[in-house]
């Protein structure tokens, strides 16, 4: 999956990308305000981006 907004999303498996996007949709539904959604979105992006850079994630992705 290619993404201009989240370039690192391209590095995820499709299932992982859909899981992330599902969390974004849930956050949008639960947020209540634009500001709360943006804060939640920022936290989700940091969490997912950092997970993809973690040593355990890199070890799983190497052949």
């Amino acid at each position: 999956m290619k993404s201009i907004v989240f370039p690192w999303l391209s590095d995820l498996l499709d299932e992982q990308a859909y899981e992330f996007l599902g969390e974004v949709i849930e956050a949008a539904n639960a947020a209540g305000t634009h500001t709360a959604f943006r804060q939640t979105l920022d936290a989700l992006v940091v969490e997912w981006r950092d997970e993809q850079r973690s040593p355990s994630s890199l070890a799983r992705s190497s052949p």
Side-chain angles (χ1 to χ4, degrees):
M1 173 178 281
K2 298 247 182 216
S3 173
I4 295 170
V5 178
F6 306 114
W8 51 268
L9 201 62
S10 301
D11 296 334
L12 300 178
L13 300 173
D14 283 348
E15 295 82 15
Q16 292 171 312
Y18 290 123
E19 182 181 346
F20 168 74
L21 294 173
E23 289 186 25
V24 170
I25 292 167
E26 287 177 22
N29 288 330
T33 67
H34 290 67
T35 302
F37 173 64
R38 284 194 301 263
Q39 291 172 340
T40 302
L41 180 59
D42 285 347
L44 282 171
V45 168
V46 168
E47 178 184 330
W48 277 85
R49 185 193 60 210
D50 291 350
E51 171 62 27
Q52 294 312 303
R53 293 180 182 170
S54 72
S56 61
S57 176
L58 295 173
R60 287 192 305 261
S61 64
S62 57

